[in-house]
Amino acid sequence: MELEKEVKKITLGHETGSGAQCLKCKDKCEGFELHFWRKICRNCKCGLEDHDVQTATEDDKKIGKLLEDTKYTSLIAKLKTDGVHHYKRNVVTLTNPVAAKKDVAIKAVTYEWTPPVPNQALAVRYIELLPKEKQPVAGTVGAVYRKKQMAKQLPEHDQDPTKCHELSPNEVKQMQQFVKKYKEEALGVGDIKVPEEMEAQNKEKGASEAGGRGTTAVVGALGNKTAPSKGAAYSCYRCQLCMKEGDPAVYAERAGFEKLWHPACFVCCTCNELLVDMIYFWKKGKLYCGRHYCDSEKPRCGGCDELIFSNEYTQAEDQNWHLKHFCCFDCDCVLAGEIYVMVNSKPVCKACYMKNHAALCQGCRNALEPEAQRVTYGNFNWHAEPECFLCSCCTKCLIGQKFMPIEGMLFCSVECKKKMTS
């Protein structure tokens, strides 16, 4: 019964962001309209994250659901309004000291997210150690970057069956088991600490527990053990370079506290992007973002972008596809047994290719069929036929001959060129 309820709840939320302007296509897009089963706009083929939609509330719900039933429940709270777990995102606004002069403007900087630590200065220092274009400052490219990475690295349809398209009861069950398993074995949230302070705390704790007689474990990867300078005793697990004294380091509990990272080095091993809000997945000694961890465990459909839990699926063009989703990217017709052409890594049926993507022959001005032999020079194309690839002056066939191209025209000799251009 529970599985049937889950299947009935499945929806893609077509009202979300409806009509929002595309930030990439501008006026070329009529406004966001979610495709029936793809995770893109029907009008411009861009994703929701590329449209002018405020997704903070939905993102907070998504992360709240992700962190449910984990050891990180301190980062979420159930709101009385809807009873749904929300992510308690640590938003910080800093202002400069109140100026003595009335005409001096007070500047405020709002960070849309900072590490959830009591020491605000340490959290801000962490942000400052990130590349400028990736710092989540409200109203900047860094905030846009965080929004896009939130959508890319932690897609809702990787954890919530209700965000997927037409899953069977068995697929819903498999997905729930898969999500439970990665929450127990791989999911984590990074923590920031100053290595020197953390080691001092551990020494005090070790001495207390052993009555002052035991030895303590060293926290962080040690560099030069013979004569370390302060701060230089700790090296980053990724780049192997030393940590700067007093700067925060990122720790991942699942990796063990003997490993630490520079803030800018806490990245996915597959896409090399910053792990958004330090949410990571740990597997075989490597950090992954949510998307690429799931990709390492399950095939992903090249059509709907969802993980595949069905035993039957197809493989084509180095991608995996649900059987029902190996469709033309333009018209959605099923391509099984049909001729198709890959356009920007997406399959397109022959009819749509001829209508929307085919190059024009400079000779006959007709579209070039995908299987037709052609001659290409620069941005110009011709059928490799005597009636198309010929001199623009004397109509001599130029296949296998030397020719002189000028702005889409072909000439067999200097004389013919002079006749046409004089």
Side-chain angles (χ1 to χ4, degrees):
M1 290 296 294
E2 289 300 319
L3 287 178
E4 290 179 3
K5 289 180 182 179
E6 287 294 323
V7 174
K8 289 180 180 178
K9 284 167 55 183
I10 287 175
T11 173
L12 287 177
H14 284 72
E15 296 80 14
T16 303
S18 180
Q21 181 189 27
C22 181
L23 302 176
K24 292 173 66 176
C25 303
K26 305 296 182 182
D27 295 337
K28 293 180 181 179
C29 176
E30 297 176 6
F32 185 76
E33 181 184 354
L34 187 62
H35 186 276
F36 178 53
W37 50 265
R38 301 184 194 273
K39 309 303 185 290
I40 58 174
C41 174
R42 296 183 62 158
N43 294 319
C44 66
K45 307 294 179 71
C46 296
L48 177 65
E49 67 275 10
D50 294 314
H51 290 73
D52 189 18
V53 181
Q54 299 302 314
T55 59
T57 301
E58 293 303 316
D59 286 342
D60 289 347
K61 288 182 180 179
K62 175 178 70 175
I63 302 305
K65 186 174 182 63
L66 179 66
L67 299 181
E68 276 182 357
D69 304 319
T70 71
K71 63 180 67 177
Y72 304 101
T73 52
S74 61
L75 298 177
I76 60 177
K78 184 176 287 189
L79 297 189
K80 294 181 180 179
T81 53
D82 55 15
V84 176
H85 279 110
H86 284 241
Y87 180 34
K88 293 192 297 185
R89 193 159 36 92
N90 197 37
V91 180
V92 172
T93 300
L94 299 178
T95 58
N96 63 352
V98 178
K101 298 180 181 179
K102 294 182 179 181
D103 58 342
V104 177
I106 298 176
K107 294 182 179 180
V109 176
T110 298
Y111 299 97
E112 295 192 349
W113 170 85
T114 60
V117 292
N119 187 338
Q120 183 173 289
L122 188 66
V124 173
R125 179 58 183 156
Y126 162 89
I127 297 294
E128 292 173 346
L129 290 172
L130 302 179
K132 188 74 174 178
E133 69 278 7
K134 296 181 180 181
Q135 296 177 7
V137 177
T140 69
V141 294
V144 175
Y145 171 79
R146 177 182 175 272
K147 173 186 172 183
K148 289 189 175 183
Q149 292 305 313
M150 182 67 71
K152 183 176 181 181
Q153 295 185 15
L154 302 168
E156 281 187 298
H157 48 272
D158 278 9
Q159 60 154 319
D160 189 350
T162 68
K163 302 301 180 182
C164 299
H165 178 241
E166 295 181 348
L167 295 185
S168 69
N170 183 51
E171 288 173 316
V172 170
K173 183 178 180 179
Q174 286 189 60
M175 184 174 189
Q176 290 172 336
Q177 292 173 342
F178 175 71
V179 172
K180 181 180 179 181
K181 187 171 184 287
Y182 74 54
K183 284 187 177 184
E184 292 174 349
E185 298 179 0
L187 174 65
V189 180
D191 192 14
I192 62 166
K193 296 182 181 295
V194 177
E196 297 89 348
E197 295 177 0
M198 189 172 180
E199 183 179 3
Q201 292 173 3
N202 279 0
K203 283 182 178 180
E204 292 178 4
K205 182 179 178 181
S208 174
E209 292 177 351
R213 297 186 300 274
T215 58
T216 59
V218 178
V219 177
L222 289 178
N224 182 356
K225 295 182 180 179
T226 55
S229 60
K230 289 184 178 180
Y234 307 93
S235 59
C236 173
Y237 184 70
R238 180 172 185 260
C239 71
Q240 302 300 310
L241 297 178
C242 293
M243 309 295 297
K244 186 177 179 181
E245 182 184 359
D247 275 350
V250 184
Y251 290 86
E253 183 178 0
R254 290 193 184 275
F257 286 104
E258 73 280 0
K259 300 179 180 66
L260 49 78
W261 287 262
H262 290 111
C265 289
F266 199 63
V267 300
C268 171
C269 67
T270 301
C271 62
N272 291 318
E273 296 292 349
L274 284 177
L275 291 165
V276 64
D277 293 12
M278 298 195 300
I279 298 171
Y280 68 89
F281 290 71
W282 182 255
K283 178 181 176 182
K284 295 181 180 179
K286 293 182 179 180
L287 292 169
Y288 290 85
C289 66
R291 170 177 291 273
H292 291 116
Y293 170 81
C294 291
D295 286 351
S296 74
E297 294 284 316
K298 296 287 182 181
R300 185 181 297 277
C301 178
C304 67
D305 196 51
E306 295 170 15
L307 300 174
I308 299 175
F309 292 95
S310 170
N311 292 328
E312 294 184 351
Y313 62 96
T314 189
Q315 292 181 315
E317 306 297 335
D318 296 323
Q319 297 184 67
N320 303 297
W321 312 80
H322 286 112
L323 296 179
K324 62 187 176 184
H325 289 160
F326 187 55
C327 303
C328 172
F329 193 62
D330 287 4
C331 72
D332 290 335
C333 72
V334 178
L335 293 173
E338 302 294 330
I339 295 175
Y340 66 89
V341 183
M342 295 301 290
V343 178
N344 297 324
S345 300
K346 302 295 183 181
V348 176
C349 69
K350 184 176 178 180
C352 285
Y353 175 81
M354 294 296 289
K355 179 182 177 182
N356 303 324
H357 306 285
L360 291 179
C361 172
Q362 291 296 116
C364 66
R365 304 305 298 174
N366 291 322
L368 286 155
E369 300 82 356
E371 67 272 21
Q373 289 189 321
R374 68 185 68 191
V375 178
T376 299
Y377 189 89
N379 295 323
F380 301 105
N381 300 270
W382 295 264
H383 285 105
E385 302 292 342
E387 58 269 25
C388 292
F389 195 65
L390 41 73
C391 177
S392 299
C393 178
C394 70
T395 68
K396 174 184 176 181
C397 176
L398 296 175
I399 296 175
Q401 305 295 317
K402 292 183 178 180
F403 62 91
M404 302 174 65
I406 296 181
E407 297 182 356
M409 295 189 293
L410 301 172
F411 300 103
C412 63
S413 64
V414 175
E415 289 74 17
C416 281
K417 173 187 171 184
K418 289 181 178 179
K419 287 179 183 180
M420 290 293 291
T421 57
S422 59

